Every structure is written in C-alpha cells, then in structure tokens.
Amino acid sequence: MKVLHVVGARPNFMKVAPLYRALKQAGHEQHLLHTGQHYDRAMSTVFFDDLGLPEPDSHLGVGSGTHAEQTARVMLAFEPKLLEVAPDLLVVVGDVNSTVACSLVAAKCGVPIAHVEAGLRSGDWSMPEEINRVLTDRLSDLLFTHCADADDNLRGEGVPAERIHRVGNIMIDTLVENLERAKASPVLAEHGLHPRSYAVFTLHRPANVDTHETLAGILGAVCEAGKRAPVIFSCHPRTAERIRAADGLTQSLRDANVHMVPPLGYLDFLHLVAESRLVITDSGGLQEETTYLRIPCVTIRDNTERPVTITQGTNILAGTDPAGIRDALERSYGRDTKDTQIPELWDGKTAPRIVEVLERWRDRS
Ligand code: UD1
Ligand code: UDP
C-alpha cells in the first residue's frame, strides 16, 4: 500500500509520527508531505527532530494567509503533487486548514481518504476548525475515532457505521513513547522551576487573542494566578504578535510572575507539562494530554470538542470571561486529580490498530 501523509501545523506532527513508524514497520510505501502552514523552526522543524520523523518528501511552502488564501494555496500546490505520487490512500489528521484543503483535492481526484481524529465536534460553527472537521469527515472513507462520543457524532450525521473505526487517541501514542525520554530535558532547570510548583499556560485561538479587549481580560485573569505560583507562558506566534502590538501587556505579564517564552519543542514541553501543578490553555491537544497525565487543566473556552476530558478527565471549562477564569483557577489549584479516568484506548497502541484496519481495508475485495 502506498500512503500519502499530510502535515502542516504544530498539532499534526505528533499525530502522524506514530502512524508513520507503524506503517514503515509493516513495510508500506509512504510519502510525507508538509504543506508549510507552520514554518518557524519552533513550530515545525523541532518536531521532526524530537519525534524522529524523516525530512518531508515534499514541501508545498504555502505559509500564512487568510483562510481562503491559505486553503486555496494548499489546494493548488497539492493537486499536481497528489497526481504525481498517486497514492492508494491519503491520511489526514486533526482539523487545521491543511487537513480540509488536501481532503477536498483528494476527494475530487478519487483518492480514498483516512481521517485520524474524526468525529470531534464543538458544535461551534464560528470556530474555523469545526468547519474543517465536519467537511473532512464528510469527505473521508475511513474515520478513525478516539472515543465513543466521536462515534455518536458521526452516526448522528449519517456516516455509515462501517466507515467508523474506534482506535483510540494517537497523540497519546506519542506521549507514551516520549514521556521517559522527556525527563532528560533541562527545561525546569533553565527556568528555575521545581516540580508541582508552577503552572503552564498556552493561548492561541483567534477568538481569544485577535480582539484586544478579550486578550487583555484573559491575561489579566491569568496574571492573578501568578500570585500563587509562577506561570510559564509558551507563546504561540499569533499571540506574541498581538501582545507585542499592545501597550503595556508584556510588562504587566512580567510584573505578575507570568513568564513568556517562545514555543517549546515537544520533549521540553512534555516535561514541563508533566511536572506542572496546573495547565491553563485553549489548545485542543493539551486538554487530552493533561487528562492522560492527570494534571488539572483549565480550558479558556466556552465549549470543547473533547468533552470526555471533562466527564472522565481533568479538564474544566472556564469560559473566556475574566471572572469565570479566576473562579476556575481557584478551584483547580488545589484539585485532587489522581483518581480521574483515562479514556478507553488511550493506551499508546492506536497506531498499530490503525494499521490493522488499513490492511483489512486494502484486502477488502
Ligand atoms: C492553526 C490552526 C489551529 C491550530 C493551531 C496550532 C487552522 C485554521 N488553525 O492556527 O487549528 O490549533 O494552528 O498551533 O488551521 N505564524 C508564525 N509562524 C509560524 C506559523 C504561524 O509566525 O510558523 C503566525 C503568522 O502570523 C500567522 C499566524 O501565526 O498569520 C496564524 O497562523 P495560522 O497557521 O494561520 O493559524 P494558527 O493560529 O497557527
Ligand atoms: N506543544 C508543544 N510546545 C508548545 C506548545 C504545545 O510541543 O510550546 C504541543 C502540545 O503538547 C500538543 C500540541 O503541541 O502536543 C498541541 O498543539 P497546539 O496547541 O498548537 O494545537 P491544537 O491542539 O490546539 O490544535
């Protein structure tokens, strides 16, 4: 089987790495394509090094732009590459613009699509990722899901049951594989931190950072948390740009014990999170990683496409209003999460389960 994998943005690399390795072990031919949606070393190359991914076989170099510009540039550059590689299957992961752009091209070219992390729904159509998720799932032939909620969402939308395969959470494969290795990271010493005595903070959703008033309100609430313990703020480039452009925000963070650092590599970041007391975030993936690690997580959003991290895991939805965030932080600092659940099949063995399904699919007729 010849498989073409698409990666584009930071959360894609940790989802593709285990599947790439498992397919290689099973002797399949693979082509790794990077769209170039993310391009800074800290948002892209570092993950290839940390996760042992090979150099991409092709790179579309699309870069940043509006949604239409970015999606269209991926589609235009991807079509000839897809025809040249002529894979038996396209594998896409997650919900970024590169995911939907390549899926749309492949569907029109008649190339079967497998979507890893299918069936996630926030129900929030103002979120670009929700549009990407729904469209990608509609275009896909094989839908790999991470929990029962996702299966229900897909069935509810009329996806035939035989297309849905519950295989578990592929990001957790990467986490399990790297947790021990990550302990060698010097990141705590570099920032003068002690285990369980600091919080980790990330923020990058357009709805949270693109409007000054919302961003300033959220940062104000997080600054209050700095009074209890240092906060390490791994700052996404979208957010860094907005903070730099706003008068006084950088200084108020510094004064409040909130330490802005550039995005970290996977191993450094995993170690930082695994040893933290609390994570404050609007990231999708981090809601899952904290659930696996049993670290309390405060999510600065009104909804989540990953409700299992709340019903079984360590996640609390804080909303985006400063008072709600302060309240959720207060509840989470002392929260005992050692008895929270890890969802079924989040066990580090999702990639081999996907390979099994793919081989059955290949041999179907
Ligand atoms: C994208 C995804 C989002 C995902 C996030 C992960 C979409 C619609 N959004 O959001 O789902 O959670 O990635 O991090 O696909 N930039 C740089 N360097 C980079 C990349 C981006 O400076 O390497 C800056 C640029 O100013 C760019 C902005 O960040 O305009 C936003 O990048 P973009 O890829 O459009 O969206 P993200 O906010 O990163
Ligand atoms: N991550 C990382 N370094 C950082 C911040 C995040 O390696 O400085 C990892 C995080 O552990 C998770 C993934 O990036 O594996 C999540 O990506 P992101 O939050 O950018 O996207 P989302 O999951 O929200 O789509």
Side-chain angles (χ1 to χ4, degrees), residues 18-323:
L19 183 55
Y20 188 93
R21 192 169 317 115
L23 280 166
K24 189 173 171 193
Q25 270 164 14
H28 297 289
E29 193 183 338
Q30 302 185 80
H31 185 105
L32 182 62
L33 179 139
H34 194 324
T35 64
Q37 177 172 345
H38 284 177
Y39 41 85
D40 291 346
R41 177 174 161 75
M43 296 296 287
S44 174
T45 321
V46 67
F47 297 98
F48 285 76
D49 298 344
D50 276 5
L51 304 176
L53 272 168
E55 288 266 308
D57 298 295
S58 43
H59 201 297
L60 306 182
V62 300
S64 304
T66 66
H67 283 281
E69 285 167 351
Q70 192 174 59
T71 308
R73 282 207 293 266
V74 173
M75 290 179 71
L76 283 171
F78 183 63
E79 188 179 53
K81 189 46 83 176
L82 178 71
L83 296 175
E84 179 195 318
V85 176
D88 299 309
L89 181 73
L90 173 75
V91 174
V92 292
V93 298
D95 54 16
V96 301
N97 283 346
S98 301
T99 309
V100 72
C102 294
S103 300
L104 193 48
V105 170
K108 296 267 178 93
C109 291
V111 174
I113 303 164
H115 185 204
V116 179
E117 207 183 67
L120 270 59
R121 297 289 182 269
S122 66
D124 178 358
W125 204 246
S126 71
M127 203 181 172
E129 293 83 356
E130 184 75 354
I131 299 171
N132 296 345
R133 290 177 198 123
V134 171
L135 295 184
T136 302
D137 285 341
R138 186 67 188 82
L139 297 167
S140 296
D141 301 86
L142 293 147
L143 296 105
F144 292 111
T145 62
H146 78 317
C147 75
D149 297 344
D151 298 3
D152 293 344
N153 292 335
L154 292 172
R155 280 195 295 263
E157 289 173 17
V159 175
E162 62 273 17
R163 291 192 186 184
I164 305 170
H165 304 276
R166 176 126 52 96
V167 288
N169 191 330
I170 196 132
M171 279 192 105
I172 302 301
D173 283 25
T174 300
L175 192 159
V176 168
E177 167 93 22
N178 288 289
L179 196 53
E180 251 335 281
R181 266 181 82 212
K183 287 184 180 159
S185 159
V187 69
L188 266 64
E190 277 171 10
H191 295 283
L193 300 167
H194 300 287
R196 308 283 162 217
S197 68
Y198 61 90
V200 176
F201 174 42
T202 80
L203 193 76
H204 69 273
R205 299 272 153 231
N208 284 344
V209 307
D210 285 358
T211 312
H212 175 73
E213 203 190 345
T214 309
L215 175 63
I218 293 171
L219 294 182
V222 172
C223 282
E224 301 254 328
K227 290 181 188 157
R228 300 184 70 128
V231 178
I232 305 300
F233 180 10
S234 155
C235 200
H236 187 285
R238 172 191 283 279
T239 314
E241 226 171 275
R242 304 292 185 272
I243 292 178
R244 271 197 302 270
D247 256 3
L249 274 187
T250 311
Q251 191 58 40
S252 9
L253 290 169
R254 215 175 278 142
D255 293 345
N257 210 12
V258 179
H259 306 273
M260 246 172 93
V261 297
L264 296 167
Y266 184 80
L267 295 171
D268 286 340
F269 193 70
L270 175 57
H271 188 50
L272 189 71
V273 168
E275 295 296 334
S276 71
R277 182 159 159 198
L278 173 71
V279 170
I280 312 163
T281 193
D282 62 1
S283 160
L286 258 178
Q287 295 172 56
E288 298 179 342
E289 290 167 336
T290 46
T291 275
Y292 183 84
L293 293 166
R294 296 200 170 91
I295 305 281
C297 178
V298 170
T299 297
I300 304 185
R301 286 178 46 188
D302 294 320
N303 51 57
T304 178
E305 59 290 332
R306 294 159 159 98
V308 72
T309 60
I310 298 176
T311 52
Q312 295 188 30
T314 61
N315 193 13
I316 289 182
L317 272 190
T320 56
D321 188 54

